[in-house]
Amino acid sequence: MAVFTEVPPDEARRLLRRLGLGELLELRGIQGGIENTNYFATTWQAGTDGAEGRQGKYVLTLFERLTAEQLPFYLELMRHLAERGIPVPAPAADSRGRLLHSVCDKPAAVVDRLSGASELAPTAAHCAAVGAMLARMHLAGRDFEGRQPNLRGLPWWNATAPVVLPHLAAPQAALLQSELAYQNHVAASADHAALPRGPVHADLFRDNAMFDGETLTGIFDFYFAGIDSWLFDLAVCLNDWAIVHATGRHEPVRADALLAAYAAVRPLEAAERALLPAMLRAAALRFWISRLWDFHLPREASMLVPHDPTHFERVLRDRAESCLAVTA
């Protein structure tokens, strides 16, 4: 999240009124993230028939890269999951049922602001809660009718690697090229074709989940979601929730807790168990390329702090040098 587009309060106020969400009290830009413009919006909804008024808390997002044609997939997926009891921010619809709106001539959405706080130093209990919820989310998405690929999947890696390679030293360039060749080989295998697929979050890091103590209160930021293998989604989680951030190395206690909780809801199939080490490498490669791109070809924005790409280089090297045993 960042602020690429400065939103005048009057524009936000008109949208919130049109959505029936009350009168704007505060509009505050959100720091963090690198894709879209995000604001916290606080409103006051007057009571009716003697009822007390109430405060509303929302997130206003202006989409800086995704198009109006791509966005319905994400918003409809969030609505679909919310209707099935998955704790995700529900998008606000207008009087005609539309979830996609316009602010400052850019596509926009307003979603509920989740309660709780992100847990940036998770324990095994936090990881277990995330694993179980991820499995529930995968199962809840099986009957979702939207179809859109993971836009940051293998075709994007192949297209983006040549753009970032000129910015890399020889050891980093060699790692990127060799790992990309390996992932193209894996993607052509029969085991990969057998992986179960459906809607995935594809970005469920520590800062995209909310907790109250050890209770998971919600997951958010679905704007990298797409149709992909559920195993890739699980690998993305393991590469953030179950590593030592300072070194990028695998942390077995948290990894085992996350995997066991996931498998208790949706047991892994044979092809998934075989390819988990490869998918851990794929997930690390995806975010290394993305962070290299954002770091070396940044966009202008206020409150924008690019992520350090060397973090996922360390994760990728660790994943390439070791294997994670699947015991769940």
Side-chain angles (χ1 to χ4, degrees):
M1 300 176 184
V3 174
F4 299 94
T5 302
E6 299 288 344
V7 175
D10 283 347
E11 283 226 29
R13 183 174 292 111
R14 284 193 291 271
L15 175 60
L16 293 165
R17 284 175 179 169
R18 186 159 58 84
L19 297 178
L21 300 178
E23 289 297 316
L24 180 66
L25 296 179
E26 182 186 25
L27 188 67
R28 177 163 53 92
I30 303 175
Q31 184 177 6
I34 52 178
E35 288 296 316
N36 302 310
T37 289
N38 292 275
Y39 285 86
F40 288 135
T42 303
T43 68
W44 181 257
Q45 185 82 52
T48 58
D49 299 327
E52 293 185 5
R54 64 178 184 86
Q55 193 176 83
K57 294 184 177 182
Y58 305 96
V59 175
L60 167 64
T61 298
L62 277 65
F63 300 99
E64 304 289 348
R65 280 178 166 158
L66 295 168
T67 67
E69 291 72 31
Q70 295 166 333
L71 284 164
F73 174 88
Y74 308 102
L75 299 174
E76 293 291 350
L77 175 60
M78 292 162 66
R79 177 159 63 181
H80 177 94
L81 295 174
E83 289 174 348
R84 283 153 181 77
I86 306 299
V88 305
D94 64 16
S95 60
R96 298 173 61 184
R98 295 175 299 192
L99 304 178
L100 185 60
H101 316 296
S102 179
V103 173
C104 298
D105 296 322
K106 293 189 176 180
V110 177
V111 302
D112 295 329
R113 182 177 173 183
L114 298 172
S115 63
S118 294
E119 179 52 70
L120 302 183
T123 65
H126 295 111
C127 292
V130 169
M133 185 59 67
L134 184 68
R136 285 183 53 204
M137 188 193 78
H138 288 164
L139 296 177
R142 286 179 299 182
D143 60 343
F144 180 63
E145 296 181 353
R147 289 293 176 266
Q148 183 164 283
N150 176 2
L151 299 180
R152 292 290 178 93
L154 182 61
W156 187 84
W157 311 345
N158 285 324
T160 307
V163 178
V164 300
L165 274 171
H167 299 278
L168 305 185
Q172 286 73 36
L175 175 63
L176 178 57
Q177 291 172 311
S178 64
E179 187 62 32
L180 192 58
Y182 172 71
Q183 292 300 333
N184 276 282
H185 172 74
V186 169
S189 69
D191 275 348
H192 192 274
L195 294 176
R197 297 171 183 273
V200 298
H201 185 285
D203 192 31
L204 187 47
F205 282 22
R206 304 177 191 192
D207 56 356
N208 285 336
M210 303 290 270
F211 282 88
D212 181 0
E214 293 183 345
T215 301
L216 179 62
T217 58
I219 55 179
F220 63 100
D221 199 357
F222 277 78
Y223 302 119
F224 283 119
I227 304 299
D228 206 332
S229 72
W230 290 335
L231 185 65
F232 178 78
D233 214 15
L234 179 58
V236 168
C237 285
L238 286 164
N239 277 353
D240 185 66
W241 291 87
I243 64 166
V244 179
H245 257 256
T247 63
R249 296 191 67 82
H250 166 63
E251 203 291 303
V253 174
R254 282 183 277 141
D256 289 349
L258 197 155
L259 275 169
Y262 183 96
V265 178
R266 190 191 76 82
L268 296 181
E269 298 184 4
E272 294 177 297
R273 296 168 67 87
L275 279 187
L276 179 57
M279 286 298 100
L280 289 166
R281 291 169 62 171
L285 177 65
R286 176 265 187 257
F287 284 96
W288 186 35
I289 292 176
S290 181
R291 291 189 176 188
L292 286 169
W293 188 46
D294 289 321
F295 186 83
H296 292 292
L297 295 101
R299 296 174 293 159
E300 289 188 9
S302 62
M303 306 174 70
L304 175 62
V305 181
H307 294 300
D308 177 11
T310 60
H311 170 68
F312 270 104
E313 179 188 346
R314 291 192 294 268
V315 176
L316 176 57
R317 289 187 185 278
D318 179 71
R319 295 313 202 192
E321 292 168 1
S322 62
C323 291
L324 177 64
V326 183
T327 58

